Amino acid sequence: DEEPKFGLVVTGRVHPERVLTLGGARIGDVLVLTKPLGSGIIATAARSDALTDPAHLDEAIAVMRQLNRGAARAMQGVGVHAATDVTGFGLLGHASEMAAGSGLALTLSAPRLPLMRGALDYAAAGQMAGGLRRNREHFSAVTVAETVPGPLADVAWDPQTSGGLLIALPASRQQALLDALRDEGVTGHVVGFVSAGTGVHLRADDR
């Protein structure tokens, strides 16, 4: 291939009482996302020489370079129940894993999703990586409302490089988390909630 590849492994230790898994979400939790979506679509547009504004790629790179360390620090001590990073399976894929691991349903609001500038337009122009299509085919427990615009649904499926964290915590602790994230220089976005049921539901309304 023209592009070089490398691999690595990171090992370490963590205190058992400080472990957060994707399987601990509870009914009534709110869902907070810490980074905007669209890096895969924008990278695809860049590889296809289809960028309409070079600043879109610059902004995507800046987001990808931001570590999740600050967000992880912010989660400590605010009562978070579950968390997962959002990477190759896209937001909907990783949310599906959280729903399955918790034995509950996750509902996401499409209008609330934070997006990188240009991502919607590139999705509408068909600038989508193969991983996006594979995500959509693989995660059968995801339902997308018919009234969600196609490009917006595509961004929700988009594989992310160095994406943010999807965090589930009690609604009563929502502001505490948002404040802690802000103190770490991270913007949190409330994108949905957890309820009884199964699977992931992407809704077109803003609730």
Side-chain angles (χ1 to χ4, degrees):
D1 295 340
E2 295 181 357
E3 298 177 352
K5 297 178 176 64
F6 67 93
L8 56 89
V9 174
V10 178
T11 61
R13 296 182 178 183
V14 60
H15 194 286
E17 295 180 1
R18 301 185 69 183
V19 174
L20 275 174
T21 71
L22 55 73
R26 302 178 189 177
I27 293 174
D29 280 354
V30 295
L31 298 168
V32 175
L33 182 63
T34 64
K35 283 188 181 183
L37 305 169
S39 62
I41 287 170
I42 291 174
T44 300
R47 287 194 295 269
S48 302
D49 294 324
L51 289 175
T52 58
D53 186 341
H56 294 160
L57 180 60
D58 293 339
E59 292 172 8
I61 290 172
V63 170
M64 289 187 282
R65 291 182 64 186
Q66 181 183 19
L67 300 178
N68 283 324
R69 180 172 53 197
R73 279 197 299 255
M75 290 193 299
Q76 301 299 324
V78 298
V80 170
H81 289 152
T84 183
D85 59 345
V86 178
T87 51
F89 294 152
L91 173 64
L92 293 179
H94 288 284
S96 184
E97 291 188 324
M98 182 179 283
S102 302
L104 296 170
L106 270 61
T107 297
L108 301 171
S109 170
R112 287 178 171 262
L113 300 182
L115 309 178
M116 296 181 186
R117 281 202 316 128
L120 272 182
D121 291 336
Y122 295 127
Q127 295 296 329
M128 292 174 284
L132 187 155
R133 297 177 178 87
R134 288 190 293 272
N135 287 343
R136 192 159 44 204
E137 294 167 359
H138 178 73
F139 291 99
S140 58
V142 176
T143 59
V144 177
E146 293 182 358
T147 48
V148 174
L152 184 51
D154 290 335
V155 177
W157 282 116
D158 185 40
Q160 302 300 284
T161 297
S162 185
L165 301 182
L166 180 64
I167 303 166
L169 78 164
S172 62
R173 304 300 296 160
Q174 170 184 316
Q175 193 57 51
L177 175 62
L178 296 178
D179 291 343
L181 288 170
R182 185 183 63 247
D183 291 344
E184 292 286 350
V186 179
T187 302
H189 308 267
V190 180
V191 297
F193 60 89
V194 181
S195 62
T198 60
V200 175
H201 310 280
L202 182 63
R203 304 198 317 193
D205 57 63
D206 192 23
R207 291 185 294 154

